């Protein structure tokens, strides 16, 4: 008698974009994290017509919204400050994908910019530049190596239940963060300076996002691998 194994979930990964080089690219860490958790990562194109987006959302079991350029402040009704470097190409792609992924209740994980974009898409706002707008003793943008944790976060909700801990150490690589949290989201982790570091969307099957970078730590940090694994299971 043959034993049929459930196929691995296919996970669409939003691409990274280098405007100066006119280049779509990807950090292998995102893909490796998905593979380590049992998923099949597929890097998506930067531009796509809506009919292609429909087919991609139908084909993929989940979506990873990666880090990268700042979310355009115009999307939450503000004028950009000098330190903002945004990408209209990524904003356009991710608005299209996120709207369709939410509508079909696909599993979603956001990392860094991914958290920020999900919050803005759902009506929230951002601190455009933490050093000038929300000064803190915590340096939220660490130097290399990126796989070394530099501050802690206090957990609650589903993330606390998953990891079985009240506090974990995380890495950090961002100059923007959630200012006003969308009413559709709830916090799952907060830094000592009050910055929201993880969120979920309770009305959906699985929409989680973290401000730190588990893709840089999953090989040595069980907490990071657990986040990828939880996401892939829900895919």
């Amino acid at each position: 008698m043959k034993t049929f194994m459930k196929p691995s979930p296919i996970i669409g990964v939003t691409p990274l974009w280098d405007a100066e080089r006119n280049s779509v690219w990807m950090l292998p860490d995102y893909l490796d994290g998905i593979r380590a958790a049992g998923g099949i990562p597929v890097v998506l194109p930067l531009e796509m017509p809506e009919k292609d987006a429909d087919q991609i959302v139908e084909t993929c079991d989940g979506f990873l919204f990666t880090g990268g350029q700042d979310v355009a402040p115009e999307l939450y009704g503000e004028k950009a400050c000098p330190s903002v470097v945004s990408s209209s190409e990524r904003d356009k792609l991710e608005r299209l994908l996120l709207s369709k992924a939410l509508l079909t209740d696909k599993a979603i994980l956001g990392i860094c910019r991914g958290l920020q974009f999900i919050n803005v898409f759902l009506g929230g706002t951002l601190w455009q530049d933490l050093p000038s707008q929300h000064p803190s003793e915590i340096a939220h943008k660490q130097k290399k190596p990126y796989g070394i944790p530099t501050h802690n976060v206090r957990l609650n909700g589903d993330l606390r239940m998953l990891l079985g801990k009240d506090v974990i150490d995380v890495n950090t690589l961002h100059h923007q963060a959630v200012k006003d949290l969308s009413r559709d989201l709830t916090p799952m982790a907060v830094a000592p300076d009050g910055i929201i570091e993880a969120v979920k969307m309770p009305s959906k099957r699985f929409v989680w996002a973290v401000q730190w970078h588990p893709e840089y730590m999953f090989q040595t940090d069980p907490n990071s691998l657990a986040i990828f694994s939880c996401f892939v299971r829900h895919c």
Side-chain angles (χ1 to χ4, degrees):
M1 182 177 179
K2 292 184 177 180
T3 300
F4 294 95
M5 296 182 63
K6 184 179 179 181
S8 298
I10 297 173
I11 297 170
V13 181
T14 57
L16 308 181
W17 168 241
D18 187 328
E20 291 185 3
R21 293 183 173 88
N22 192 31
S23 174
V24 174
W25 65 291
M26 179 50 56
L27 287 165
D29 308 85
Y30 291 114
L31 311 183
D32 292 344
I34 290 172
R35 278 192 289 260
I40 300 174
V42 177
V43 182
L44 301 176
L46 183 67
E47 297 181 0
M48 64 180 75
E50 187 164 354
K51 63 180 180 61
D52 290 357
D54 288 332
Q55 187 171 347
I56 285 172
V57 171
E58 182 179 351
T59 301
C60 292
D61 301 296
F63 291 90
L64 173 62
F65 285 77
T66 56
Q69 290 97 336
D70 301 325
V71 180
E74 289 80 8
L75 296 181
Y76 48 96
E78 294 185 10
K79 183 179 179 180
C81 69
S83 64
V84 169
V85 179
S86 59
S87 167
S88 60
E89 296 88 353
R90 285 202 62 178
D91 289 342
K92 180 180 179 181
L93 168 69
E94 293 178 14
R95 288 176 72 180
L96 179 63
L97 277 179
L98 185 56
S99 64
K100 293 181 180 297
L102 290 174
L103 186 64
T104 54
D105 204 15
K106 298 286 183 172
I108 294 169
L109 176 64
I111 292 178
C112 196
R113 170 195 157 90
L115 183 154
Q116 297 163 14
F117 188 84
I118 291 168
N119 182 56
V120 168
F121 182 86
L122 295 173
T125 66
L126 303 177
W127 294 110
Q128 291 190 39
D129 185 67
L130 286 174
S132 61
Q133 296 179 334
H134 193 281
S136 169
E137 294 182 356
I138 295 177
H140 282 281
K141 192 170 184 178
Q142 73 185 69
K143 297 180 180 179
K144 292 182 178 180
Y146 299 140
I148 303 298
T150 60
H151 72 81
N152 63 51
V153 295
R154 180 163 293 277
L155 307 180
N156 58 64
D158 288 356
L159 192 53
R160 182 180 181 276
M161 291 178 60
L162 173 69
L163 302 180
K165 300 174 182 177
D166 294 322
V167 177
I168 63 169
D169 295 325
V170 300
N171 58 356
T172 184
L173 194 62
H174 62 106
H175 82 109
Q176 297 196 322
V178 171
K179 181 180 179 181
D180 299 307
L181 185 65
S182 163
R183 287 181 290 181
D184 293 316
L185 300 173
T186 59
M188 295 195 297
V190 180
D193 60 0
I195 291 297
I196 293 173
E197 294 271 346
V199 299
K200 70 168 290 186
M201 189 174 182
S203 64
K204 294 298 180 181
R205 184 170 56 88
F206 187 92
V207 178
W208 284 23
V210 297
Q211 185 59 70
W212 63 91
H213 286 266
E215 77 277 10
Y216 285 128
M217 300 203 302
F218 75 90
Q219 294 186 18
T220 57
D221 175 43
N223 297 323
S224 296
L225 181 58
I227 291 170
F228 274 113
S229 297
C230 185
F231 167 51
V232 170
R233 284 197 304 272
H234 282 83
C235 292

